[in-house]
Amino acid sequence: MSSPDISVRNLWKVFGPGGEKIPKDPELSALSSAELLERTGCNAAVRDMNFDVAKGEVFVVMGLSGSGKSTLIRCLTRLIEPTSGSVLVDGKDVMQAGTGELRELRRRKMSMVFQHFGLLPHRTVLDNVSYGLQIRGAAKNERYARSHEIIELVGLKGYEQHFPDQLSGGMQQRVGLGRALAGDPDTILFDEPFSALDPLIRRDMQAEVIRLHKEMGKTMVFVTHDLSEALKLGDRILIMRNGETVQCGTGDDLVGSPADKYIADFVSEVPRADVLTLKWITDPVAFGTPADAPVLSAGTIIRDAIPTVMNSLCPVLVEDSGKITGQIDRDSILSVIRSTEVAA
Amino acid sequence: MSTLVRDRAPVQTGLVSVRAPRKRLSRRTLILGGAGVVWLIGFLFLHGTATLTLPASELTDLHRSLNQFNAWVASNRADNPVFQYVFTPLRAAVDAVANLFIGIFAASSTGLRLPEIGWLGTVALLSWIAFAVGNARVALLTAAAFVFFGLQGLFVEAAYTFALVITAVLFTLLIGIPLGVLAGVYGRVAKVITPVLDFMQTLPTFVYLAPLALIFLIGPASAVIATVIYAAPPVIRLTAHGIRCIPENTREASDSLGTTGWQRLLTLQLPLARRTIVMGINQTTMAALSMVTIAALIAAPGLGQVVIRALQSLDVGTAVNAGLSIVLLAIVLDRVTTAASRRAEPGANRKRRISRRTRYILLAATLLVVLAMVQLSRTMLWAAAFPKDLNIGPAIVSGVSSASEWLQTNLFLFTVSFREAVTNGILNPFQSLLTETPFYLLVAVIVLAAFALGGWKLAAVTATCLAVIIYLGLWSDSMVTLAGTLVATAVVMVLGVIFGVAMGRSSKVDQLMRPMLDAGQTMPAFVYLVPFLGLFGATRFTAIIAGIIYAAPVAIKITADGIAAISPTVMEAAVSSGSTPWQVITKVQLPMARQSLALAANQGLIYVLAMVVVGALVGAGGLGYDVVAGFVQSSLFGKGLAAGLAIVFLGILLDRMTQAAAANPVRKVLSAKSPAH
């Protein structure tokens, strides 16, 4: 892992009068959100957040509505001014940036895709996609050439001259995506981009994001309230509650060892066999297991291990970086599937 | 059953706790009732004393010193620096622009006094502009209307009015749109501007004519400046509104791409606000037409003068002929600017039937035709001045005059007896109740009522307004105007409730009435006087009827919107629990539309007041008469100015009291109580 693309340190956002005093005050900053609201009338939407996002990673921030995740993502480019803390992008602190630097950051480094698209109703698809390029002063030919490429990339070829209100929700979000991609930023921020879409379109769009990530390898920060979306897209997932980090890790970590009851509740309905890897169910190698039994890597998803285990008459060995760490058998797989059903 | 019985106990304790606010409500009614009783008893014993009457030709010291101020301004105009460096150059600049347009459309200042581009050129050019900003239909309407002005024998007058409207709109937009943009972008500017605009809009059109004429002399310049003051608020408000009401998510998306403030304004706010701004231009244009016609009182040329002269000589035929032109001009201006606002709608381009290029070619080709016609007008006399033998004006005038005479003689029984019945039955008793009560008693009653409605603050404002009116020496005249205004507003509210409820309940009625109401609202205040002058002659009654007709559309529309805005779920609940239509109206719709009703009363009052004052031209007395007399006789100038001020303070008083009545008292009491629990 190279040096992180974005690192957030001690980030606070407190809404309300006198909010800027709260992060510095050890007594007040220790209060829970409800107590803080009672005492000061201020609402801490982001509380002392710390995390790093690596280059090329898809980092998902997940939480229920009101957990502060949309505020957090807006603090990264100061669309909402953070109260205190620092946001380092490529080693430079966004909080110290002047108006011009901040504008450059927004124009070239980080662009954003919004829940309600935020398209300009008076502009065509082509002009919406090229809007960011126009803003930073690209010549007409250049920006149209680039926009045509992008429009093709997001699958809107043939719709260049349509207006946003002539498109379906899914297509409008493709325009939003195109607009974010057109400026060729290092990082794309997604604020619940697909929660206004119906489930089938949402699935298509998720596949689209996965495809684009594979093709372009951009860093992505993705905010969602949908756990299955988070598990599907995220290399790592940060779960927020009341403005604070509850747990941060891979999907596998969250489901396999939830940090507290809140997360456990959250992940209880996840089909564990689809998410967990073999390392969570590996038993010590039993006495009778033959040495030439089939071997699977510890990073294999449990569901993917089923054919091998079924076709083998003996337990299957699990290896991690060349070392045998244990074995699995039919019982261990069935018990994972059963535990999901019981929880549901 | 048993659960029902068990439930009953908590319900009753609930009733007890609800009773507290009821008591507070009745206190308000108690004070109001008490004030009424004191007034009536006081009137019985003291009427006719301390009435502060001031005969029409008499002046107070204040009026005389205002006269002296007038004389001082006249004698120092040439060498006072404020005039030399501010007012006089301003006047010259406005005059130059006005004369430019007058020269083009109405009459050049030299030679044969023909318009620079002739009547044919004017018709062609204006129709072409209508086509360019609107569509073919409004272009045709423009052409037809301007040809009809010629046929009426009023082409030059209409062109004068049009030229002044264009000048005023130009200046208004030059000032109004930048101000509106500033107010839209900076909340602080909006905070400063809004109360000023509120104040400007409660002023009756009439009152700033005299002070402006004092500073800028009579004529086109002061007419244009008065019009700019009157017509600016709508475009400032709507521009600011359009800029401010950009959807939050669009704005954020544009910010996230790193737009500068300018870029945001140019690529996002202005394009998205375009339609609202053009709607503002529409309202401003209509207001400008209204004011330009009234500015005839300070010698603005055009159709307004024809109407005023006709009203003063009670020549109904001529007044109707010119009134018709004003109405037509209003329709043309409204239609063209509305068509322009449709074109400005985002995405209007793609619904066009012809492509952009075809349209440009068509525009260029028609422009050539227009230029040919202008050239023709500059060489041929028949195309320069409208042919005199094509004149149906006299026919309209004599036709209307005889129709009016016929109506007045044959409907004499109906019109006169109706007029007399209302005048003697309602108007006179109410007016004498107001004018003959001793002033101190009436002041006490009004301040008490204000206290009941809005507490100490409102009582203080009210007392100040009344004190100023007394100081201005026009108490009795103010009470005459107040009487007419209140009677007319009462009728307006009855109409507002009846038609508003009908419109709010049935979309069919709404569709039928709304175009008529919209048309009614776009007409200049003036023209309402004309038909009623024909029916009822020159009396106070005519002015009041005209005021009612002028104010009814706005009251009806506000009421209808209030009733239509009640959520369908509430209506469904009321109907499903078995309410009759009457019960739905009285128990659900009217109480829920209370705020709208109060707003309707507020707006109705302001409109009626404006009209009752203009009604002085057809025989309404009171403050309006003083204002008009001040224009005509220089010895009454000071009194006229004082009367204008008295109208302003009367307007503020009525506005504040109705606004306070609109604030919901029940909720106030509940929210004041809740912390105690």
Side-chain angles (χ1 to χ4, degrees), chain A residues 134-175:
Chain A
Q134 185 193 354
I135 289 303
R136 65 188 194 196
K140 202 167 186 170
N141 291 336
E142 183 193 329
R143 66 175 195 252
Y144 278 176
R146 169 80 183 150
S147 300
H148 278 294
E149 277 171 38
I150 293 290
I151 286 172
E152 198 166 346
L153 184 71
V154 296
L156 282 175
K157 198 167 160 60
Y159 291 97
E160 287 87 348
Q161 296 306 324
H162 281 59
F163 284 86
D165 61 354
Q166 294 170 305
L167 304 177
S168 68
M171 285 161 83
Q172 290 190 37
Q173 194 56 296
R174 282 171 194 267
V175 180

Side-chain angles (χ1 to χ4, degrees), chain B residues 14 30 81 93 172 216 236 279-280 282 323 349 351 398 422 444 457 460 481 514 565 597 649:
Chain B
L30 214 70
T172 310
F216 295 106
I236 299 177
M279 271 162 58
N282 167 281
N349 295 351
K351 287 177 202 120
S398 64
V422 175
K457 217 172 155 190
T481 299
R514 202 163 279 266
L597 287 176
F649 284 95

Side-chain angles (χ1 to χ4, degrees), chain A residues 10-23:
Chain A
N10 309 100
L11 193 71
W12 280 83
K13 175 65 203 179
V14 185
F15 291 105
E20 66 282 349
K21 290 179 213 128
I22 288 163

Side-chain angles (χ1 to χ4, degrees), chain A residues 13-17 19 22 33-34 36-37 40-47 66 83:
Chain A
K13 175 65 203 179
V14 185
F15 291 105
I22 288 163
S33 294
L36 192 65
L37 191 64
T40 61
C42 288
N43 185 8
V46 174
R47 301 167 62 108
T83 309

Side-chain angles (χ1 to χ4, degrees), chain B residues 194-502:
Chain B
T194 310
V196 178
L197 295 183
D198 284 344
F199 180 67
M200 276 163 80
Q201 284 195 315
T202 50
L203 289 185
T205 50
F206 232 36
V207 302
Y208 30 81
L209 289 180
L212 285 174
L214 173 65
I215 296 169
F216 295 106
L217 300 174
I218 58 170
S222 34
V224 167
I225 293 169
T227 307
V228 170
I229 296 175
Y230 180 67
V235 76
I236 299 177
R237 264 180 216 276
L238 281 167
T239 303
H241 177 78
I243 296 275
R244 213 176 307 123
C245 289
I246 302 298
E248 182 54 33
N249 56 51
T250 315
R251 193 198 146 117
E252 199 174 37
S254 140
D255 282 355
S256 81
L257 290 165
T259 43
T260 60
W262 266 112
Q263 284 175 328
R264 188 197 302 138
L265 186 67
L266 293 179
T267 59
L268 186 72
Q269 291 172 316
L270 281 179
L272 281 182
R274 200 162 73 159
R275 166 122 213 265
T276 321
I277 295 175
V278 180
M279 271 162 58
I281 297 178
N282 167 281
Q283 291 200 10
T284 286
T285 314
M286 303 321 290
L289 177 62
S290 180
M291 192 65 183
V292 162
T293 50
I294 288 177
L297 284 171
I298 50 170
L303 294 167
Q305 282 214 333
V306 182
V307 176
I308 286 196
R309 255 181 276 132
L311 287 180
Q312 280 166 345
S313 58
L314 303 184
D315 179 353
V316 177
T318 309
V320 167
N321 193 30
L324 194 62
S325 298
I326 297 177
V327 170
L328 260 180
L329 191 55
I331 292 173
V332 168
L333 291 174
D334 182 46
R335 284 303 116 109
V336 172
T337 43
T338 307
S341 83
R342 281 221 188 95
R343 188 171 278 286
E345 213 164 327
N349 295 351
R350 69 190 113 118
K351 287 177 202 120
R352 261 200 321 239
R353 258 173 272 155
I354 52 172
S355 77
R356 186 179 292 238
R357 181 184 293 180
T358 332
R359 194 180 139 75
Y360 283 149
I361 294 171
L362 203 60
L363 280 177
T366 41
L367 184 62
L368 284 180
V369 178
V370 169
L371 290 177
M373 281 169 143
V374 169
Q375 187 52 32
L376 195 65
S377 303
R378 294 178 66 85
T379 44
M380 311 293 276
L381 190 61
W382 65 264
F386 202 87
K388 284 218 166 53
D389 38 336
L390 282 176
N391 191 348
I392 57 164
I396 297 178
V397 171
S398 64
V400 171
S401 293
S402 48
S404 156
E405 263 161 47
W406 185 88
L407 279 177
Q408 282 189 4
T409 39
N410 288 281
L411 290 184
F412 182 81
L413 248 174
F414 174 69
T415 53
V416 172
S417 57
F418 179 55
R419 184 183 79 200
E420 291 307 308
V422 175
T423 310
N424 293 326
I426 302 170
L427 217 49
N428 284 348
F430 188 58
Q431 184 174 318
S432 40
L433 181 62
L434 283 172
T435 50
E436 287 176 24
T437 305
F439 78 93
Y440 51 84
L441 180 61
L442 200 48
V443 168
V445 168
I446 294 175
V447 172
L448 201 59
F451 174 68
L453 288 173
W456 287 114
K457 217 172 155 190
L458 183 67
V461 172
T462 310
T464 315
C465 287
L466 291 171
V468 172
I469 290 173
I470 293 168
Y471 172 71
L472 289 168
L474 294 161
W475 172 261
S476 183
D477 284 348
S478 301
M479 289 305 112
V480 172
T481 299
L482 183 62
T485 307
L486 290 180
V487 169
T489 309
V491 180
V492 165
M493 282 316 291
V494 171
L495 292 176
V497 169
I498 293 173
F499 287 103
V501 167

